[in-house]
């Protein structure tokens, strides 16, 4: 079968690209759309560096064939600070020195975003579980876990100050 | 070999036809796509089950029917399947659990921890092929797989009472680790004596196996440490452990009784 046009809503924009059969979402994002935040680490689902949100769920973009998610909504790290303003997770990572080489950071942040969407006040165990599929070879994880707990607190405070509900899902309901 | 086509059929009938023509079936992609990424293509044509409508959970009358492409996150979020939550939490990471499916866990080589649970529960697999559908005991699917061109559509399982259900996965890390061994069991007692015991062991043979010798050793006896240790020693006859990066075969044999005791008695 020939290559196929794939249409996705990526970071709120409709995007199209041509993909050979079996192209991964990660390749589509990086090589066709120029969105290089998601990283190609192990290419087998073990490292989490390619984590993005597809239809609101954290998934490994290297394990999704693009044909199977044609039409889906994708959010990458580039879409988190779309207006040029770092969000709570990003600023907590920055302030807490939760990045060193930075290779795992995009995946860590997207895994953290997915956690905070479901659970605005996670305990340490829940944070550890949320990033248990994301490898970091620099930090020893401690600063990352602290940053995610800190980000949750910042987001709760920001939402409370704005009089908004703490969970995105409550807004929808 | 390169992938020449990825089919994403909208119906089971179409998926079955494509599988019958030799398409390699995938659901969540967590087993097949690593091969594709490394150029070890399992077949020139892949058939994704993502749009076949096979996902979904029905619970009623103490029984659950779990669609083959139901993800582990969906299992974990299902109020009716809460008995499986501790087991599901031991399978990979939350991100993988958003993708990996119950059917995939059963049909990958080796079958995974949830397959071990299904084996302990004598689950039934609903299988569809060109000639119609059939029900197959999960043990048969684990041992011999499906026939060419067949698709797993669902597993049907009698839900255990929490007090009779035991699960323990022994790992090197607390989360997201392969198994040194996985123990899943249902044990029922009456008057303090074991009436039925079904024990499945993962990580101790090329595929999950029933520990028939341990089950016999428990029958009619009290569920106390000495008896369970004896059953665990008997279970060595049921397993053929191997060396792997998690543990040696020797270690697995050595600690099997201890972990069976911890699984059943805490």
């Amino acid at each position: 079968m020939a290559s196929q046009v794939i249409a996705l809503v990526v970071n709120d924009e409709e995007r199209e690209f041509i993909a050979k059969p079996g192209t991964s979402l990660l390749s589509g994002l990086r090589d066709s759309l120029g969105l290089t935040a998601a990283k190609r680490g192990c290419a087998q689902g073990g490292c989490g560096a390619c984590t993005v949100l597809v239809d609101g769920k954290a998934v490994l973009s290297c394990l999704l064939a693009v044909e199977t998610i044609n039409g889906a909504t994708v959010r990458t790290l580039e879409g988190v600070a779309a207006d040029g303003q770092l969000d709570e997770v990003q600023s907590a990572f920055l302030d807490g020195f939760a990045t060193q080489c930075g290779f795992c950071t995009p995946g860590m942040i997207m895994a953290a975003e997915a956690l905070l969407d479901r659970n605005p006040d996670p305990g340490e165990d829940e944070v550890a579980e949320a990033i248990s599929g994301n490898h970091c070879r620099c930090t020893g994880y401690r600063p990352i876990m602290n940053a995610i707990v800190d980000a949750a607190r910042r987001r709760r405070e920001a939402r409370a100050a704005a009089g908004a509900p703490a969970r995105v899902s409550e807004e929808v309901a | 070999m390169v992938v020449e086509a990825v089919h994403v059929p909208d119906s089971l009938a179409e998926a079955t036809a494509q599988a019958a023509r030799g398409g390699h079936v995938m659901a969540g992609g967590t087993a097949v796509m690593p091969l594709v990424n490394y150029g070890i293509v399992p077949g020139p044509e892949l058939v994704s089950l993502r749009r076949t409508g096979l996902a979904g959970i029905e619970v009623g009358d103490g029984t659950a029917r779990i669609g083959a492409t139901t993800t582990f996150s969906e299992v974990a979020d299902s109020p009716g399947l809460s008995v499986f939550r501790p087991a599901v939490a031991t399978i990979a990471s939350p991100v993988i659990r958003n993708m990996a499916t119950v059917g995939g866990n059963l049909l990958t080589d080796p079958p995974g921890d949830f397959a071990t649970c299904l084996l302990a529960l004598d689950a039934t697999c609903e299988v569809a092929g060109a000639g119609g559908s059939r029900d197959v005991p999960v043990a048969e699917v684990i041992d011999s797989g499906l026939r060419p061109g067949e698709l797993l559509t669902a597993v049907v399982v009698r839900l255990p009472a929490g007090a009779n259900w035991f699960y323990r996965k022994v790992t090197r890390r607390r989360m997201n680790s392969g198994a040194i061994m996985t123990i899943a069991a249902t044990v029922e007692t009456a008057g303090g004596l074991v009436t039925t015991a079904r024990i499945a062991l993962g990580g101790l043979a090329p595929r999950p196996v029933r520990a028939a010798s341990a089950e016999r050793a428990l029958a009619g006896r009290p569920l106390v440490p000495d008896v369970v240790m004896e059953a665990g020693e008997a279970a060595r006859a049921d397993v053929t452990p191997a060396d792997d990066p998690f543990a040696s075969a020797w270690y697995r044999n050595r600690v099997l009784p201890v972990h069976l005791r911890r699984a059943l008695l805490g």
Side-chain angles (χ1 to χ4, degrees):
Chain A
M1 195 189 282
S3 294
Q4 191 180 335
V5 175
I6 304 296
L8 299 170
V9 177
V10 182
N11 302 330
D12 303 320
E13 261 182 70
E14 288 180 26
R15 304 291 299 265
E16 288 186 343
F17 57 95
I18 295 171
K20 286 185 180 163
T23 298
S24 69
L25 174 60
L26 177 67
S27 292
L29 292 171
R30 291 182 61 86
D31 306 334
S32 298
L33 300 180
L35 297 170
T36 55
K39 297 292 183 277
R40 184 178 285 115
C42 68
Q44 55 181 333
C47 77
C50 68
T51 304
V52 301
L53 307 187
V54 172
D55 294 331
K57 291 200 174 81
V59 295
L60 297 170
S61 60
C62 78
L63 298 185
L64 280 175
V66 285
E67 296 92 337
T68 68
I69 57 157
N70 206 350
T73 297
V74 179
R75 186 160 296 275
T76 70
L77 182 67
E78 287 94 340
V80 171
D83 58 359
Q85 189 78 30
L86 298 186
D87 87 338
E88 296 89 349
V89 181
Q90 292 172 306
S91 45
F93 267 62
L94 195 60
D95 295 343
F97 302 102
T99 69
Q100 282 187 27
C101 85
F103 193 87
C104 76
T105 309
M108 286 285 183
I109 289 179
M110 297 317 287
E113 298 284 359
L115 169 69
L116 299 190
D117 281 348
R118 278 171 69 99
N119 182 354
D121 190 7
E124 191 152 286
D125 247 32
E126 292 163 316
V127 170
E129 186 184 30
I131 60 166
S132 61
N134 295 73
H135 286 199
C136 173
R137 287 290 166 262
C138 304
T139 65
Y141 299 98
R142 175 48 58 193
I144 294 175
M145 291 177 59
N146 291 347
I148 295 171
V149 170
D150 182 33
R153 183 187 54 77
R154 292 179 191 212
R155 183 164 294 177
R156 287 195 308 275
E157 287 173 5
R159 296 241 157 104
R167 278 177 206 254
V168 175
S169 53
E170 285 171 20
E171 284 170 24
V172 177
Chain B
M1 199 197 291
V2 296
V3 178
E4 288 166 15
V6 178
H7 301 291
V8 193
D10 294 323
S11 69
L12 177 62
E14 217 182 315
T16 312
Q18 283 160 346
R21 287 199 297 271
H24 190 88
V25 174
M26 70 174 177
T30 59
V32 172
M33 285 302 286
L35 301 176
V36 172
N37 288 341
Y38 279 80
I40 314 163
V41 176
E45 301 202 5
L46 304 180
V47 182
S48 166
L49 301 183
R50 188 171 283 267
R51 296 193 205 275
T52 50
L54 292 177
I57 297 163
E58 296 155 39
V59 179
D61 259 356
T63 300
R65 181 180 182 280
I66 309 174
T69 64
T70 306
T71 67
F72 283 110
S73 295
E74 289 163 347
V75 172
D77 287 346
S78 167
L81 298 182
S82 57
V83 71
F84 293 130
R85 229 169 261 162
V88 169
T90 71
I91 298 172
S93 66
V95 179
I96 292 280
R97 295 199 288 270
N98 282 340
M99 309 179 76
T101 66
V102 168
N105 192 268
L106 188 51
L107 292 169
T108 47
D109 187 21
D113 297 319
F114 202 72
T116 308
C117 294
L118 295 174
L119 184 60
L121 292 167
D122 255 342
T124 300
C125 297
E126 294 180 7
V127 172
S133 59
R134 61 188 185 114
D135 288 349
V136 189
V138 71
E140 197 179 315
V141 171
I142 288 173
D143 287 344
S144 356
L146 305 178
R147 295 174 190 157
E150 280 187 333
L151 292 180
L152 177 73
T153 53
V155 295
V156 177
V157 64
R158 179 149 283 282
L159 294 170
N164 301 331
W165 173 242
F166 304 90
Y167 178 86
R168 179 177 176 81
K169 180 172 175 178
V170 185
T171 55
R172 286 205 171 261
R173 289 191 306 237
R174 199 157 60 85
M175 295 169 183
N176 191 14
S177 174
I180 293 173
M181 70 183 70
T182 298
I183 299 167
T186 52
V187 180
E188 286 167 33
T189 55
L193 302 178
V194 173
T195 52
T196 57
R198 287 200 305 270
I199 302 169
L201 302 173
L204 294 172
R207 301 165 192 290
V209 292
R210 279 281 289 275
S213 308
E215 294 169 2
R216 278 194 300 274
L218 289 179
R221 301 176 69 192
L223 204 59
V224 296
D226 286 352
V227 171
V228 177
M229 286 294 281
E230 204 182 299
E233 283 157 21
R236 288 178 179 142
D238 303 319
V239 301
T240 49
D243 296 336
D244 72 10
F246 301 110
S248 66
W250 177 88
Y251 180 80
R252 288 180 156 103
N253 257 320
R254 181 77 182 77
V255 299
L256 168 56
V258 174
H259 288 297
L260 183 65
R261 190 194 74 214
R262 290 182 188 167
L264 300 186
L265 298 172

